[in-house]
Structure formats: C-alpha cells, structure tokens
Amino acid sequence: MAEKPRFTSIATKFSVFTAVLVFWVVAVVLAYDYSRENFSAGKAVLLMVVLFMVAAAISRFTIRLLVRPLAYLQEGIQDLEAGRLRQIRVSRTHDEIEYLGQSFNAMVASLAASRAEVQEHRELLEQRIHERTEALDQALQSALSSSQVKSEFLANMSHELRTPMSGVIGMLDLVLDTPLQLDQREHLRTARNCALSLLALLNDILDLSKIEAGRMILEEIPYDIRELVSDCARTQLALASNKGISLRWNAAEDVPGRMVGDPLRLRQILANLLSNAVKFTASGEVVVSVAVRRRPERAARPWDLIIAVRDTGPGISPEKVETIFEKFTQADGSISRRYGGTGLGLAITRKLVEVHEGDIQVVSEMGQGSTFTVIIPADARAAAPEPEAAARPARGIAGRGPVLVVEDNPINQKVVTAVLRKRGYAVDVAVNGQEALDALARQTYALILMDVQMPVLDGLETTRRIRRNPQFRDLPIVAMTAHAMNGDRERCLEAGMNAYLAKPVDHTHLLALVERYIAVASGTAPPERIAAPADDPARRASRLVDADPSLVGQMMQLFLQLAPERIDRLRHAAEAGDGELLRSDARKMQGAAQSIAAHEIVAAAARLDEAGARADWEAAHESLKQLESSVLQLRDRTQSTVT
Ligand code: ADP
C-alpha cells in the first residue's frame, strides 16, 4: 500500500506565516524610524505587543474558520475509508467550508441509503437462492424416489415374470422328454432356448433393479478366489475351444488363499467379463489374471483384489468405451444381430463393482483387444492352514460324483455345503427347484439334497418332475424339511424322495445319510428308507458348534446380516395383516435361529408364528419386538466376543 504523504497542519503554517509577518512589519517600522532618527525602544516594544495580539487574533480566527472544519472533514473521510458511514459536525461558518461539510454529509447519507438497498437486495437474493435450493432438493428427492419406485417395480415385476417363465421352461422340458418327431423336437428346442434367453434377461433386469433400489446386500463370507476364477473360466472353456481360442487363468503367488467377501457377486462380475471376452474374440486368447495389493491405510478391507480379463478381440473404440457401461448400450448396432446380448452385462458389472466400492477400468485398442480390470477392496483371512485340508479323512469319496444342494435359505446352504465339502464332496447349489432341474440337465449328480419350501418351484414338485424322467428313477433325493411333524415326511416320500432330514441339519446324520444313499445308488448297500430320528434342534446345533466353531461364527454373521431384512419383512406382513406370510417368514426365521442355537430368537419366532395363526396382531407386534431385541442382544454379544 502506498504510504500516506505527511502533512504539516494549516494552523502551524498560519502561525509561522503570521510570526514572519509581525517581524517583517516591526522591522520595517523600526527601520523607517531609525532612518528618520526618532527610534524609541518603548514604541518598538508597544508595536511588537500590538502586532502580536493582532497576529494571534488572525491565527485563532483562521483555526476556527478553516482548520477545525477541515479536521472534521478529514475525520469523516477517514471513517468513510474504514467503511463507517458517519455524519460529520458542520461548523456554522456560512461559507464554502460549511457548504463542503453539508455536501459531505449529504453524500454520506445517500451512500448509507444505497448501502441499505444493496443489503436488502443481497438478503432477497440469498432468500431466493435458499428457496431455489430447497425446491431443487425436493425435485431431486422426488426424482430419486420415483427412480427407486421404478426400480422396485422392475424388481418385483421381473421376479413375478420369472415364475411363469420357469413354468414355460419346465413344461417345454417335459414335452421334450416325450417321444417327438424330429422337426417338433427342433421347434421345441428353439422355443426352450428363447425362453432361457428371456429368463436370462429377466435375471439381469432383476439384478440391476435390485441394485438400483438399494436392495442388494453384500455377504461377508470366506472364499477361495483361485477356485472361483477357475470355476468361472471352466464354464466358458467349451465355448472357447469350439471357437478355437485359448482360455487361461492364473493368480499371483501372494494372493491369499482365503478372501472374505461376496463370492456370488464376484462370480457374477467375472462371468460377465469372461463371457464378453469369449463372445467377442474370434481368434487368439483370453487370459484372466488375479493379483492383490496391500492397502494398510485402510482399516477395513485392507486388500485390493485385482482381476484382469484380457482378450485379443476386436477392441472398443475410444468414443464407445465411454458408453459401454451404460444400460442397454452396445458398441455398435450390428452387435446384437451378430452376437446377441442386451447391453446389460457391463451395466450390471459396473453396478456390482460400485456396490463393492471398487473400480472397473478398460484399456482397449481397435484390432488388438481389450483388458477389463476390476479392483475390489477385500478382506483376507490369515493364511492359516486350510481347516478343510486337515479334516478330509474321506477324500476318496470325492471321486463318486457331486451332490446337488437345492436350498433357497443361504444359511442352510452354507451349513450343508460346508459339511459336505469338508468331507471332500463336490457340491453344487441350486436356489430353487427350477435351477435344480436346469443343473440336472447339465450335469450328473450322485445325490440331491432338496429343501421342501422354496420359491419358484418347491421341493415336492421338483422331485415329481425329476422322477418322471426314467433316467433319474434311481437318483437318491433326500428332503430337508423344517417341519418334520406336520405330515411333511409322508408328503416327501410320496413325491418320490428317498429320505428326509430335519432342519437344522445334523452334520453326522447328514453325512451318514449321504454316504449311505450314494452307496445304495452305486449298488454297494441294501436299499432302504432312512429317516432322521426326532432329535432336539438345540442339541443338533450345539453339536455343530462342537464340530466346527468357525462355521458357526460365519453362520452367526450371516444370520445377523440377514436379520434386519427378515425383521422388516415380518413387520410388513404383520402390518398388512397377512397371517400366511407372517407365519411362513416366522418359521424361516425360527429355522435360521435354530441352526445357530439362538434360543430366545427361536422362541420369539415361534410365538410370532402362533400369533399369526390366531390372527392376534397385538401379540404379533409384541413378539416382533422381543425378536428384535433378542437379535440386538445377539449382535452385541457377538461383537463383544469378536473385539
Ligand atoms: P452385451 O454383451 O449384452 O451386448 P454388455 O453390457 O456386456 O452387453 O457389453 C456392452 C458392449 O460393450 C457390447 O455390446 C460390446 O459392443 C462391448 N464389449 C464388451 N466387452 C467387449 C470385449 N471384450 N471386446 C469388445 N467389445 C466388448
């Protein structure tokens, strides 16, 4: 900032000027007297005194008329500079100085008025901005909620559409199993393929809308990423070798043997990328590589799991790379004619990656190929010796062929598959009867473990359909049922099942039954129907705890993860007064709680079931409250044992 120039006061200047004037007048008068030779010291002194008095009067007058008003003005200007709009004192001199002061005050007054006006405008503007922001916020909220409603509608619709689709496919399968003329068989096969692609599309839409409606919940369960990649790649091997391209997969040495996360969703991500790579590549190779990177700065999920799928396909042009992750987008119009597809695969893949808070990137060069890389934050279990490896005394059994577990409840799925895998069995899982029929069409199984109550196609009907095919007349089917008391056992046997197991499944009994029935089927043991002894569920659960504490820990986690959604469903059923739904959900909850020996939750769910039967909604709400608080207590207990 420039330095202010220094001013000497007007008063000082006047005083100096007057003093010089006085001396000059005295000197002139004295010099005149001296030349006339009548110089008198007395006269000189008198003259001096008079002149001094006159000078003092002039000086005082000047200060009052000029200096003081100017000082006021200066103060006013300084205030103005500092942003203070203050009126100054105006000296009544009735001249230009007074006019100057009044003008200054008038200017300050008009400045103050315009400042107030600006302030008012600013406040108005701020209020407008605030109102606009609120309106925009509301618009955004309603857009979001309508998008949520749309996604939920889509999710429900595609779910509903899947049921008749499964019926169509099932019926076509049935007709295809009967004697047919060649062209009839061809037509039906075409119809079946169309129905399957429609079902795949419905599944895609269901997935996408589930994610968009925020209804996709990720699991936290251990899995072997090498196994997962190899499983996925194997499903594409036949197609790849038919096209004459090589398909390879590898994992870096430092990739932990056990990662923790949602293997199902990861499988979906990889399957989408792999099927695209194989679909679009005409020659050369497709390679999947897995690597990890430590991210110690992250307390949760301190690994980056990096999966890259590289192909030597046609590549994607830079301008298309931007859009291929959007819904229903294909790189060019001829794609769907040449390769089929809907343009949903990569949209789902990206959403799934986003749900994981991960990242997906693609590097591609036209004519050279593309590499899709997925980076997903993950957890890993300490590289302890694989418990399975130690507990595999019956490895030899693995050679006898895989077991198909048909079960929609993830906890039961986990228990049964874990127990079987531990014994060295290869296990496939189908989540409903229709999937089981599809799996049977693809692969031969040594035995099926079949849940009874399932969506889409229940265990009884599935078994009847399987038995209609003479090829599966001797295939052992063991029911897993939660209600051994109410005639389910008879219904299972009538439908054509060989045996039944009560839930929660006792692992020793399960293994005994599976081994026995596989032996029966292979002709090494006498055929006989075996039923589970009526056993106390709590005892079975605690035996399971003894057998594998880590498994129970995982089940507990899974139970706690699923609990809020289940409680929500129960609450909706209770609020809607839907007794049937309430009872069936309450029983599911009861079964799940039994498998982790959570007695209080079992009891509360049982009371809820009874309340549903009596249509006693007050009791239902009460039991629901107890159930909720028991779940919270269980969560607290689990957390306090973990930390
Ligand atoms: P779909 O495969 O059903 O057409 P996607 O969403 O999986 O839908 O893929 C969108 C588009 O991205 C594809 O139509 C294709 O044009 C392009 N694309 C995806 N993967 C590849 C790949 N590996 N090589 C070349 N183009 C690809």
Side-chain angles (χ1 to χ4, degrees), residues 311-322:
D311 65 51
T312 51
I316 308 159
S317 66
E319 59 276 17
K320 297 291 177 193
V321 162
E322 302 293 319

Side-chain angles (χ1 to χ4, degrees), residues 500-519:
Y500 80 91
L501 272 166
K503 284 188 194 170
V505 171
D506 174 310
H507 72 292
T508 355
H509 191 65
L510 167 75
L511 287 173
L513 210 58
V514 168
E515 278 174 35
R516 175 134 206 179
Y517 266 88
I518 289 181

Side-chain angles (χ1 to χ4, degrees), residues 272-273 276-277 279-280 311 313-316 324 326 329-332 335 340-347 370 372:
N272 277 339
L273 296 180
N276 274 351
K279 179 163 82 171
F280 293 113
D311 65 51
I316 308 159
I324 53 169
E326 284 161 22
T329 307
Q330 299 186 317
D332 76 68
I335 294 267
T342 54
L344 276 178
L346 285 180
S370 323
F372 285 80

Side-chain angles (χ1 to χ4, degrees), residues 242-393:
N242 276 350
K243 294 180 78 175
I245 53 178
S246 98
L247 172 57
R248 293 182 288 121
W249 56 96
N250 59 64
E253 269 184 7
D254 59 341
V255 174
R258 271 185 149 208
M259 308 291 295
V260 179
D262 193 329
L264 193 73
R265 300 302 165 200
L266 212 55
R267 210 175 267 267
Q268 219 175 339
I269 292 172
L270 183 57
N272 277 339
L273 296 180
L274 249 174
S275 76
N276 274 351
V278 172
K279 179 163 82 171
F280 293 113
T281 305
S283 65
E285 59 176 10
V286 171
V287 183
V288 186
S289 20
V290 183
V292 285
R293 193 167 43 205
R294 269 301 242 161
R295 299 293 299 268
E297 74 277 11
R298 282 201 307 247
R301 300 191 284 170
W303 295 84
D304 268 346
L305 177 63
I306 306 164
I307 304 176
V309 180
R310 181 173 63 76
D311 65 51
T312 51
I316 308 159
S317 66
E319 59 276 17
K320 297 291 177 193
V321 162
E322 302 293 319
T323 58
I324 53 169
F325 292 105
E326 284 161 22
K327 281 182 265 185
F328 302 110
T329 307
Q330 299 186 317
D332 76 68
S334 64
I335 294 267
S336 87
R337 264 173 280 131
R338 275 172 60 200
Y339 300 103
T342 54
L344 276 178
L346 285 180
I348 294 174
T349 306
R350 185 175 64 177
K351 296 257 178 202
L352 286 171
V353 171
E354 281 170 1
V355 174
H356 280 91
E357 292 168 10
D359 190 21
I360 181 164
Q361 295 155 0
V362 53
V363 176
S364 186
E365 205 173 312
M366 293 300 280
Q368 300 295 311
S370 323
T371 305
F372 285 80
T373 308
V374 169
I375 303 170
I376 284 182
D379 233 327
R381 280 281 149 87
E386 290 259 311
E388 274 95 330
R392 256 181 210 160

